[in-house]
């Protein structure tokens, strides 16, 4: 067995197999492929050629190959507690922005001269001597968009539900997106200042979606708040810290930094400005770094109070100047010791990214699943169901779940009534799921996104057809053994 990434050149493959490059070229010719020494080969070709030499190929992610930049696993004794990172989610108009604004103003402004904060994608507050980092962009779309790019930047989700309303479609989406990411939820029932509200109704509705607060026998922390009067906010922060303590969040501040790009934009005066969340290590002015396929060197950093800082440790958001090219939200940033190495890695990634743009599907598709199951690459099929009415959703998810076997688990990770939305596609991308639409269609933007992300969307108008098609795909796996 040999390990490699996809798209190595004929020359590199020759080295890997310990044969001459001319041999590689003639093997390729024998299967009707004319190649040159420096041509990069796709997975299928690499496998075929290796097979000729009796070798099996194990493909690994390009990022794992950047051995020199990979940060070694931290020793337990180097780990220090770090602030929890919070994303606020919930249905539109339930008060996410108001809650973020209230906490920012009250907890940041208090005691700070001027108290003006600047937008760096996140802000930090101190509650009873403990720091908490809030990501500034509420909602599950941003959260899942990041995740679909391989970045997980949230430790805890605050789920906001308005006390004068009820659990709504986006509340449920938020719950499912948080669950799919394995991120715990703390519930904030907002607008408690309003008259005649009934938080108990909401707690009951939440338990129907498996979000069970402590007084109902569950484990979920819960607070009643008002983003207008500030009532209950201290309690909410307390609950967040309790949840954080359970998670034992730690990081090693004494090493090269890694983090994630929250946002990036072009500023007329400053050039490329990006908001970074440092996750481990300490980022310092002068550090060379790589973020996705972009190279940079930290020219200057500002914290969420708009102050210049020389360094930033774990869970700290900063605005960073020093990118050569525009990174994307969700790109992982890694500081390097050596500028030359960082440049090399960035170049290589840029090239791989360009070539991967032409590469075949990497997300789960129904056509592909039997092959991937047979190869042992996957043992589950994640499905998102969108349908016209709740009755069809129940019928479909019931029948599909029954298709689970010892070899493959069918997980329904999200369901909802209505058109297939961008947020559904992002969840599918982040969780490697397929989407089944019953008597509904994707929105135009969702369809475009699905094309880009290569998400398999199947539309049906008969339940039986949907179940049949999934069953056929799963059973494809059994045929080689028969
Ligand atoms: P988002 O869409 O979830 O970000 O919700 P917003 O923060 O924009 O709030 C939606 C509306 O609810 C606004 O008119 C807010 O003023 C109002 N609102 C938010 N929080 C509260 C609250 O605690 N009490 C009351 N009475 N109104 C609130």
């Amino acid at each position: 067995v040999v390990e490699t990434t996809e798209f190595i050149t004929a020359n590199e493959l020759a080295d890997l197999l310990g044969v001459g490059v001319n041999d590689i070229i003639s093997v390729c010719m024998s299967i009707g492929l004319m190649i040159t020494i420096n041509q990069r080969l796709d997975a299928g070709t690499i496998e075929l050629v290796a097979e000729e030499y009796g070798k099996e190929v194990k493909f690994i992610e390009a990022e794992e190959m950047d051995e020199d930049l990979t940060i070694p696993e931290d020793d337990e004794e180097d780990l220090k507690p770090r602030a929890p990172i919070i994303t606020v989610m919930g249905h539109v108009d339930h008060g996410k922005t108001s809650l973020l604004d209230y906490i920012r103003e009250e907890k940041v402004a208090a005691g700070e001269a001027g108290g003006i904060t600047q937008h760096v994608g996140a802000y930090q507050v101190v509650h009873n001597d403990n720091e908490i980092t809030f990501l500034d962009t509420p909602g599950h779309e941003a959260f899942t968009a990041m995740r679909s790019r391989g970045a997980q930047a949230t430790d805890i989700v605050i789920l906001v539900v308005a006390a004068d309303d009820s659990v709504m479609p986006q509340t449920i989406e938020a719950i499912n997106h948080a669950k799919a990411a394995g991120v715990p939820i703390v519930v904030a029932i907002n607008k408690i200042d309003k008259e005649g509200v009934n938080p108990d109704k909401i707690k009951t509705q939440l338990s129907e979606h498996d979000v069970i607060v402590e007084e109902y026998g569950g484990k979920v922390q819960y607070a009643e708040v008002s983003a207008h009067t500030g009532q209950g906010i201290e309690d909410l922060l307390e609950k967040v810290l309790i949840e954080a303590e359970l998670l034992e969040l730690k990081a090693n501040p004494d090493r090269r930094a890694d983090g994630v790009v929250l946002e990036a934009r072009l500023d007329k005066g400053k050039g490329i400005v990006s908001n970074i969340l440092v996750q481990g290590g300490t980022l310092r002015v002068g550090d060379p770094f790589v973020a996705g396929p972009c190279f940079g060197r930290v020219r200057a950093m500002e914290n969420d109070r708009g102050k210049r800082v020389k360094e930033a440790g774990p869970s700290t958001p900063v605005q960073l100047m020093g990118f050569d090219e525009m990174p994307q939200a969700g790109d992982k940033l890694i500081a390097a010791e050596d500028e030359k190495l960082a440049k090399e890695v960035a170049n290589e990634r840029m090239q791989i990214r360009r070539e991967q743009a032409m590469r075949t599907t990497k997300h789960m598709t129904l056509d592909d699943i039997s092959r991937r199951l047979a190869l042992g690459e996957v043992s589950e099929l994640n499905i998102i169901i969108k349908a016209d009415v709740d009755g069809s959703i129940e019928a479909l998810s019931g029948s599909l779940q029954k298709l689970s076997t010892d070899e493959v688990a069918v997980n329904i990770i999200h369901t909802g009534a209505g058109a297939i939305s961008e947020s559904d596609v992002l969840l599918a991308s982040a969780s490697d799921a397929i989407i089944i639409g019953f008597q509904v269609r994707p929105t135009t933007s969702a369809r475009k996104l699905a094309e880009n992300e290569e998400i398999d969307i199947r539309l049906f108008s008969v339940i039986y057809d949907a179940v049949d098609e999934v069953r056929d795909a799963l059973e494809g796996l059994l045929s080689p053994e028969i």
Side-chain angles (χ1 to χ4, degrees):
V1 178
V2 292
E3 286 191 357
T4 176
T5 59
E6 286 180 47
F7 300 109
I8 55 173
T9 63
N11 225 342
E12 286 163 342
L13 180 59
D15 282 348
L16 195 70
L17 297 171
V19 299
V21 67
N22 286 330
D23 297 328
I24 302 289
I25 294 176
S26 53
V27 170
C28 285
M29 260 167 72
S30 73
I31 53 173
L33 256 180
M34 306 298 274
I35 59 160
T36 60
I37 293 177
N38 287 316
Q39 186 165 339
R40 287 174 186 269
L41 308 175
D42 64 23
T45 313
I46 294 171
E47 267 174 344
L48 267 175
V49 175
E51 215 168 88
E52 283 291 312
Y53 294 97
K55 297 258 168 66
E56 195 184 315
V57 187
K58 180 166 174 252
F59 289 104
I60 54 182
E61 287 287 316
E63 317 256 320
E64 294 174 33
M65 282 296 268
D66 304 328
E67 267 173 39
D68 297 322
L69 267 192
T70 307
I71 291 168
E73 200 165 324
D74 293 307
D75 283 334
E76 190 60 37
E77 68 230 36
D78 297 331
L79 295 177
K80 310 244 162 67
R82 65 167 178 86
I85 299 161
I86 315 298
T87 294
V88 176
M89 294 187 192
H91 195 71
V92 64
D93 282 346
H94 279 194
K96 300 178 291 294
T97 313
S98 306
L99 185 67
L100 276 168
D101 287 350
Y102 182 90
I103 295 172
R104 183 199 291 111
E105 274 155 36
E106 283 302 307
K107 303 295 284 194
V108 174
E112 291 272 335
I116 300 160
T117 57
Q118 87 165 356
H119 178 73
V120 302
Y123 63 81
Q124 278 193 312
V125 301
V126 177
H127 178 74
N128 295 342
D129 292 335
N130 293 294
E131 286 182 328
I132 306 175
T133 303
F134 282 88
L135 296 185
D136 246 348
T137 317
H140 55 269
E141 290 86 357
F143 171 85
T144 299
M146 282 262 197
R147 222 162 63 75
S148 73
R149 314 219 46 237
Q152 177 108 301
T154 301
D155 299 309
I156 297 169
V157 164
I158 292 184
L159 179 69
V160 177
V161 192
D164 63 345
D165 201 352
S166 43
V167 166
M168 295 293 281
Q170 284 169 288
T171 317
I172 299 167
E173 282 188 23
I175 293 171
N176 291 340
H177 284 234
K179 273 190 194 154
V183 175
I185 290 172
V186 171
V187 172
I189 297 197
N190 190 33
K191 309 197 186 183
I192 204 73
D193 57 290
K194 286 200 164 180
E195 282 204 17
V197 293
N198 183 1
D200 281 331
K201 180 188 87 182
I202 288 166
K203 284 183 248 180
T204 307
Q205 289 175 339
L206 284 171
S207 44
E208 285 159 18
H209 295 278
D210 240 1
V211 175
I212 307 166
V213 300
E214 281 185 338
E215 58 172 305
Y216 282 38
K219 292 207 173 80
V220 177
Q221 299 291 331
Y222 155 87
E224 291 177 5
V225 304
S226 165
H228 275 185
T229 67
Q231 180 190 340
I233 302 276
E234 298 286 314
D235 181 37
L236 174 64
L237 297 178
E238 199 58 47
K239 299 287 168 58
V240 165
L241 287 172
I242 291 173
E243 194 63 44
E245 212 174 297
L246 291 173
L247 294 173
E248 296 187 41
L249 303 168
K250 287 179 181 164
N252 175 7
D254 301 313
R255 61 157 166 81
R256 274 189 291 131
D258 65 344
V260 61
V261 175
L262 300 174
E263 293 161 333
R265 66 190 165 84
L266 193 61
D267 180 287
K268 272 198 196 121
K270 296 176 179 167
I272 296 169
V273 174
S274 72
N275 295 331
I276 304 287
L277 178 69
V278 179
Q279 293 175 300
T282 297
L283 190 62
R284 297 194 168 80
V285 171
D287 283 350
F289 63 81
V290 177
C294 306
F295 165 80
R297 177 184 272 281
V298 183
R299 277 211 323 271
M301 292 189 288
E302 285 176 15
N303 68 10
D304 55 354
R305 320 291 205 263
K307 278 201 197 103
R308 288 260 166 153
V309 290
K310 290 225 149 52
E311 53 177 48
S315 298
T316 312
V318 283
Q319 187 174 84
L320 182 154
M321 271 74 75
F323 270 97
D324 268 6
E325 266 170 284
M326 186 76 89
Q328 279 180 284
D331 276 342
K332 194 131 184 75
L333 178 139
I334 299 182
E337 255 137 35
D338 167 39
E339 172 154 348
K340 193 164 149 275
L341 175 67
K343 270 192 176 143
E344 259 173 41
V345 170
N347 277 337
E348 196 169 300
R349 287 184 182 178
M350 187 62 94
Q351 183 153 0
I352 289 175
R353 199 172 268 200
R354 263 189 225 119
E355 286 165 357
Q356 280 184 344
M358 303 178 299
R359 149 181 148 150
T360 48
T361 58
K362 68 176 199 287
H363 283 299
M364 185 70 80
T365 66
L366 267 192
D367 296 331
D368 204 25
I369 184 165
S370 57
R371 188 184 64 82
R372 291 176 69 174
L373 286 164
L375 287 172
E377 281 180 23
V378 292
S379 58
E380 56 180 17
L381 174 61
N382 291 334
I383 301 182
I384 294 170
I385 300 174
K386 292 304 283 280
D388 51 348
V389 291
D390 287 339
S392 341
I393 296 174
E394 277 158 32
L396 250 178
S397 39
S399 312
L400 288 173
Q401 257 158 346
K402 281 196 204 117
L403 298 177
S404 288
T405 62
D406 289 344
E407 284 87 7
V408 55
V410 176
N411 306 320
I412 311 296
I413 62 166
H414 175 61
T415 63
I420 297 163
S421 66
E422 276 181 283
S423 141
D424 296 325
V425 176
L426 285 171
L427 179 62
S429 173
S431 307
D432 211 8
I434 65 160
I435 301 176
I436 290 184
F438 181 75
Q439 303 274 31
V440 295
R441 306 178 58 79
T443 63
T444 310
S445 52
R447 191 167 41 76
K448 286 205 184 106
L449 186 64
E451 269 164 30
N452 284 337
E453 297 281 321
E454 297 174 341
I455 298 301
D456 194 2
I457 298 183
R458 303 278 170 135
L459 304 176
F460 299 95
S461 46
V462 181
I463 290 190
Y464 182 79
D465 288 346
V467 178
D468 244 20
E469 203 161 313
V470 174
R471 183 191 298 113
D472 283 352
L474 294 179
E475 282 177 355
L477 122 105
L478 299 174
S479 45
E481 287 172 49
I482 297 166

